C-alpha cells in the first residue's frame, strides 16, 4: 500500500508540471514586452491570443509539449516496467508530432529531439543520436522518471541517462535533466525544499560526467549561483534578474536554471512562482512546468490551487492519478 503523503506529493509533481505548463502556454516564445501588451500581468490561466506564435487561440488551461511528452514517457515507463526501448520511444515521439500536425498546431518536437530522431531514421545508433542535444527537452519530460525512481543518486542518474540518451546524450542535456529528477524524487520522499535543491545540485554535477562533454555554462554551478543570488532579491526584482541575466531560452543552462531560481525564491508560494514564470518571456511553459514539478513534489497536490489544477485536468482530459499509481509501483519494486 503506497502511503497517502507519498502519493499526494507524486501527483503534486505531475499536476504542478501540468499547471505550470498551462500557465505558460499563452505566453511561450513571446517577449516580456509582448506578454505585457497582450495579457497584462499573468495571474491565472488565460486563453492564448491570436498573436501567440505557437498556440494561437488555444483555450485557457491547455497544456503543451511539456506535459504531453511527460505523459508519453510515463506510459512507456509503465509499459516497459521501468525501461524505455529507444526505438519505441522514437516512434512514440514521431507519432506525437504527427498528431500535432494533424491538429494544425505548431507545438512540435524541439530542435535536439528532432535532430536525434532524424539521425536514428538514417541508421545512426541510439547511443550516438543525442550527441548534439543541449536543450531542455530531456529536463522538461523527466518528472515521470523521478516519480518512478527513489532519490538514491546512482540509481536515479542511471534512470535519467537511460531516458535521455536518445535525444540529449551530452553533459548539458543529462546535467539539466538530472537535477529536475533529483529535486522531484527527493521531494516525493518528503525532503524539505532546501534539501531537495541541494540534492539537485549534486545530481547536476554528477550527471555532467555521465555523457559526452558539450560546450556551455555548466548546470550545477549555475544553479548554485542562481539560488544564492535570488535569495538577496525582492520579488519585484526577480523578473528582470531571471529573464535578463539567467535567461529563459530553450538552452538547458538558461531555462532549467531559471526554474530552480524561481523555486528557490518563491518556494513557499507555488502559484506566485508559476505565474511569474509565465510572464518572463521565452520558453515560459517549460520554465513554469519544471518549477511546478519541483514545487508540486514539495507541497503535494493538496498544496496546489485546487480550482486551477481541476481546470487543467478537465480541459486536457488528464488522468494523472492513474499514471502516477503505475509509476509509484515501479518506485517501490
Amino acid at each position: 500500500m503506497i502511503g497517502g503523503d507519498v502519493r499526494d506529493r507524486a501527483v503534486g509533481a505531475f499536476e504542478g508540471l501540468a499547471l505550470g505548463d498551462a500557465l505558460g502556454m499563452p505566453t511561450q516564445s513571446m517577449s516580456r514586452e509582448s506578454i505585457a501588451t497582450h495579457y497584462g500581468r499573468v495571474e491565472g490561466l488565460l486563453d492564448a491570443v491570436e498573436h501567440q506564435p505557437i498556440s494561437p487561440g488555444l483555450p485557457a488551461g491547455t497544456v503543451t509539449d511539456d506535459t504531453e511528452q511527460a505523459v508519453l514517457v510515463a506510459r512507456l515507463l509503465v509499459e516497459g516496467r521501468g525501461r524505455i526501448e529507444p526505438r519505441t520511444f522514437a516512434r512514440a515521439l514521431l507519432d506525437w508530432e504527427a498528431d500535432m500536425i494533424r491538429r494544425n498546431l505548431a507545438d512540435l518536437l524541439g530542435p535536439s529531439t528532432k535532430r536525434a530522431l532524424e539521425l536514428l531514421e538514417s541508421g545512426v545508433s541510439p547511443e550516438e543520436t543525442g550527441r548534439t542535444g543541449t536543450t531542455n527537452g530531456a529536463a522538461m519530460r523527466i518528472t515521470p522518471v523521478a516519480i518512478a525512481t527513489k532519490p538514491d543518486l546512482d540509481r536515479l542518474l542511471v534512470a535519467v541517462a537511460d531516458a535521455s540518451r536518445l535525444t540529449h546524450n551530452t553533459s548539458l542535456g543529462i546535467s539539466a535533466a538530472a537535477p529536475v529528477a533529483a529535486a522531484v524524487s527527493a521531494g516525493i520522499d518528503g525532503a524539505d525544499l532546501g534539501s531537495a535543491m541541494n540534492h539537485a545540485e549534486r545530481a547536476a554535477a554528477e550527471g555532467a560526467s555521465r555523457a559526452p562533454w558539450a560546450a556551455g555554462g555548466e548546470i550545477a554551478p549555475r544553479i548554485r549561483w542562481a539560488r544564492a543570488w535570488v535569495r538577496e532579491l525582492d520579488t519585484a526584482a526577480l523578473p528582470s534578474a531571471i529573464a535578463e541575466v539567467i535567461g529563459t531560452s530553450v538552452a538547458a543552462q538558461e531555462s532549467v536554471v531559471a526554474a530552480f531560481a524561481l523555486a528557490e525564491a518563491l518556494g513557499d508560494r507555488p502559484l506566485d512562482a508559476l505565474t511569474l514564470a509565465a510572464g518572463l518571456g521565452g520558453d515560459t511553459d517549460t520554465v513554469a512546468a519544471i518549477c511546478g514539478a519541483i514545487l508540486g513534489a514539495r507541497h503535494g497536490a493538496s498544496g496546489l490551487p485546487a480550482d486551477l489544477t481541476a481546470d487543467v485536468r478537465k480541459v486536457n482530459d488528464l488522468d494523472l492519478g492513474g499514471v502516477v499509481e503505475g509509476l509509484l509501483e515501479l518506485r517501490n519494486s
Side-chain angles (χ1 to χ4, degrees), residues 153-302:
L153 197 55
D154 187 63
R155 180 184 175 192
L156 187 68
L157 289 173
V158 169
V160 168
D162 284 349
S164 307
R165 188 175 293 114
L166 177 70
T167 59
H168 291 79
N169 191 22
T170 64
S171 56
L172 289 175
I174 300 299
S175 66
V180 180
V184 171
S185 184
I188 290 169
D189 258 17
D192 61 61
L193 185 60
S195 297
M197 300 275 270
N198 291 340
H199 192 53
E201 285 186 23
R202 291 189 291 270
E206 178 63 24
S209 68
R210 301 288 180 109
W213 177 83
E218 294 185 14
I219 306 292
R222 283 179 62 82
I223 290 175
R224 186 177 309 113
W225 160 76
R227 289 179 64 199
W229 186 42
V230 298
R231 291 186 202 120
E232 302 173 0
L233 304 177
D234 60 31
T235 303
L238 279 175
S240 294
I242 294 173
E244 297 170 12
V245 180
I246 296 173
T248 59
S249 77
V250 299
Q253 65 268 40
E254 291 192 5
S255 45
V256 173
V257 176
F260 275 90
L262 279 169
E264 179 71 37
L266 298 170
D268 59 343
R269 294 150 53 193
L271 183 57
D272 287 349
L274 302 188
T275 53
L276 194 154
L280 288 175
D283 201 0
T284 53
D285 55 325
T286 296
V287 173
I290 291 173
C291 185
I294 295 167
L295 296 184
R298 171 68 186 109
H299 293 280
S302 58

Side-chain angles (χ1 to χ4, degrees), residues 51 55 58-59 71 126 149 222 237 270 274 279 290 308 311 317:
H51 292 283
S55 51
L58 287 184
V71 170
T149 313
R222 283 179 62 82
L274 302 188
I290 291 173
L308 298 184
D311 285 346
D317 192 25

Side-chain angles (χ1 to χ4, degrees), residues 36-58:
T37 297
H38 290 290
Y39 301 106
R41 181 176 177 179
V42 179
E43 296 182 329
L45 300 169
L46 299 170
D47 296 325
V49 297
E50 291 302 325
H51 292 283
Q52 219 306 310
I54 295 177
S55 51
L58 287 184

